[in-house]
Amino acid sequence: MIRLSQYSYSFPPELIAQKPVSPRDAAKLLVYRKRDKKVLYDTFKDLAKYLPPRAMLVFNETKVLPARLFVRKETGGWVEILYVATKNGLLQVLADRKLALGSRLHLSPRFSFEVKKSDGRFYYLKASFPMSRLQSVLEKHGAAPVPPYIKHSRKASMRLREQYQTIFAKKKGSIAAPTASLHFTKRLMSDLKRRGFGVEFVTLHVGLGTFAPVTDEQLRQGALHSERYRIDAATARRLNAAKRQGRLIIAVGTTVVRTLETAAHGRASLGRAASRRHSLRAASGTTDLFIRPGYRFKFIDGMITNFHVPRSSLMMLVAAFVSREELLALYQKATRKKFRFFSFGDGMLLSA
């Protein structure tokens, strides 16, 4: 059985990236090929040199909501809350300090929230405005929902909203960025297309659970938090055609891996030949797919991903592709090379 302790690792705290490099495609790139266990080092602007010929890159075009709000308590103190979801007409939020049930939180002279209940982890707030206005309220008053390991100030919130968004973000719904895509610039995308690589987009709205430590209950049940996803018919058709032509599918980020693997169907995968008998179906809904060592990949042939938080489901997903031992060895190499970790950090290309 998998133990959480197997996915712990140590690193100097100064390697936690506090902001993206500029330009973004100047981020470091670690390249790992499973077939010969070769490790190479470069930068993202040279990504094309290491991709399989005519590979198809699949991106997540979700857009991050400005879900972090600064509200004032009735006693005058400030509270930072993170909007997570809407449940039965109430806002499900995390708060950076204890909130009294029945108290009111003021966002502006016009907008406020009443603390209705708590389940021990989340608070549930009733807004003074209709839920149909939530998106516009977040856009006007919200800040980027960056993880707690990224130090920030209220003054820097607008700059973070720009930094914590991919260049192709289109469909609002995430409360965290698909961070592997943050390395891509318009220049890099143009270069990839010019060299004959395919580019496709799917949507998975990233939830809070993606970056949270895995619980023992999730390990026992073999299922994760649910996240909403969508693959349209035209995209599925083009990716299936590419697969039949022998073009390799490279998922840009673990969110894309979960999306494609959720929508893949066909015979059980027993290797490369069998894997080609899977196809992708147009689909939308929610996925709680928990990819961890022992999982047989049905559709993807490689992935681009960042260096993830210890003991997370993201580490387990990547370990399912390269093995836990190889993954931890790659993290050690990255640490020695002073790679930057987590959301604004550097990344790696993993291929068969």
Side-chain angles (χ1 to χ4, degrees):
M1 179 176 172
I2 293 176
R3 298 189 304 275
L4 294 178
S5 60
Q6 294 175 310
Y7 292 88
S8 293
Y9 65 93
S10 59
F11 60 94
E14 59 267 24
L15 293 186
I16 299 176
Q18 295 299 309
K19 61 182 179 180
V21 296
S22 182
R24 293 191 184 191
D25 58 9
K28 292 180 181 178
L29 173 68
L30 184 153
V31 180
Y32 176 72
R33 293 196 311 235
K34 287 172 59 176
R35 63 182 179 274
D36 56 10
K37 297 189 176 182
K38 189 167 186 178
V39 179
L40 301 168
Y41 304 97
D42 208 322
T43 57
F44 262 86
K45 68 180 178 61
D46 294 322
L47 175 65
K49 290 164 49 176
Y50 306 101
L51 290 169
R54 302 177 64 246
M56 298 290 293
L57 280 78
V58 187
F59 296 86
N60 184 359
E61 64 181 350
T62 188
K63 188 171 186 178
V64 181
L65 293 169
R68 188 160 52 91
L69 296 170
F70 297 95
V71 294
R72 191 183 290 275
K73 296 195 294 184
E74 292 172 307
T75 55
W78 286 98
V79 180
E80 182 179 324
I81 61 174
L82 176 67
Y83 167 72
V84 176
T86 301
K87 304 278 189 179
N88 300 318
L90 300 177
L91 276 67
Q92 182 186 41
V93 305
L94 290 173
D96 69 346
R97 62 201 64 198
K98 190 173 181 179
L99 301 178
L101 298 185
S103 65
R104 189 163 290 277
L105 306 172
H106 297 276
L107 179 62
S108 73
R110 295 179 57 199
F111 303 128
S112 63
F113 307 96
E114 181 185 356
V115 183
K116 300 295 288 186
K117 62 180 182 176
S118 171
D119 62 11
R121 184 186 183 194
F122 297 103
Y123 288 97
Y124 296 84
L125 313 181
K126 181 175 178 58
S128 65
F129 52 87
M131 284 295 93
S132 60
R133 297 194 59 186
L134 178 61
Q135 291 266 352
S136 62
V137 170
L138 290 176
E139 287 294 337
K140 182 175 182 180
H141 297 280
V146 292
Y149 51 75
I150 295 175
K151 308 306 177 187
H152 58 268
S153 66
R154 291 182 62 195
K155 291 182 179 179
S157 61
M158 292 309 295
R159 178 65 174 158
L160 279 170
R161 280 179 64 163
E162 177 186 343
Q163 292 176 327
Y164 200 56
Q165 202 79 266
T166 68
I167 60 169
F168 35 74
K170 185 177 179 182
K171 299 179 179 176
K172 297 177 184 177
S174 283
I175 60 169
T179 56
S181 295
L182 293 177
H183 305 296
F184 288 80
T185 60
K186 292 180 180 179
R187 175 183 63 181
L188 178 54
M189 295 294 283
S190 296
D191 181 55
L192 292 169
K193 292 176 182 178
R194 186 172 62 250
R195 293 171 183 263
F197 297 104
V199 172
E200 293 291 344
F201 296 94
V202 298
T203 303
L204 182 138
H205 293 310
V206 188
L208 183 68
T210 290
F211 302 100
V214 180
T215 66
D216 289 329
E217 182 179 358
Q218 288 171 328
L219 285 175
R220 286 193 301 270
Q221 294 181 349
L224 283 182
H225 53 278
S226 293
E227 293 175 318
R228 293 180 291 127
Y229 76 97
R230 185 174 188 274
I231 302 174
D232 64 42
T235 300
R237 187 166 55 249
R238 289 191 296 268
L239 287 172
N240 285 330
K243 196 77 169 172
R244 289 193 299 270
Q245 295 162 10
R247 301 178 71 175
L248 301 188
I249 308 298
I250 307 297
V252 181
T254 55
T255 62
V256 175
V257 174
R258 286 186 81 206
T259 302
L260 296 179
E261 292 296 308
T262 296
H265 66 109
R267 295 179 58 180
S269 175
L270 298 172
R272 278 293 294 276
S275 135
R276 291 197 181 112
R277 287 199 284 271
H278 282 87
S279 61
L280 201 66
R281 58 175 175 252
S284 63
T286 60
T287 176
D288 63 358
L289 179 62
F290 190 172
I291 298 177
R292 49 186 173 167
Y295 179 83
R296 300 277 186 168
F297 287 90
K298 303 177 182 68
F299 200 77
I300 71 155
D301 301 292
M303 70 179 77
I304 294 170
T305 188
N306 280 18
F307 296 91
H308 301 297
V309 173
R311 301 163 71 98
S312 63
S313 64
L314 308 183
M315 283 195 71
M316 294 182 187
L317 183 152
V318 182
F321 189 78
V322 298
S323 87
R324 183 183 67 88
E325 295 76 15
E326 288 297 327
L327 179 64
L328 292 176
L330 292 174
Y331 274 49
Q332 288 180 349
K333 293 178 188 294
T335 300
R336 288 196 294 269
K337 292 282 188 179
K338 305 293 185 186
F339 272 60
R340 301 159 74 245
F341 284 18
F342 305 166
S343 293
F344 284 147
D346 302 311
M348 52 185 169
L349 166 64
L350 308 172
S351 63

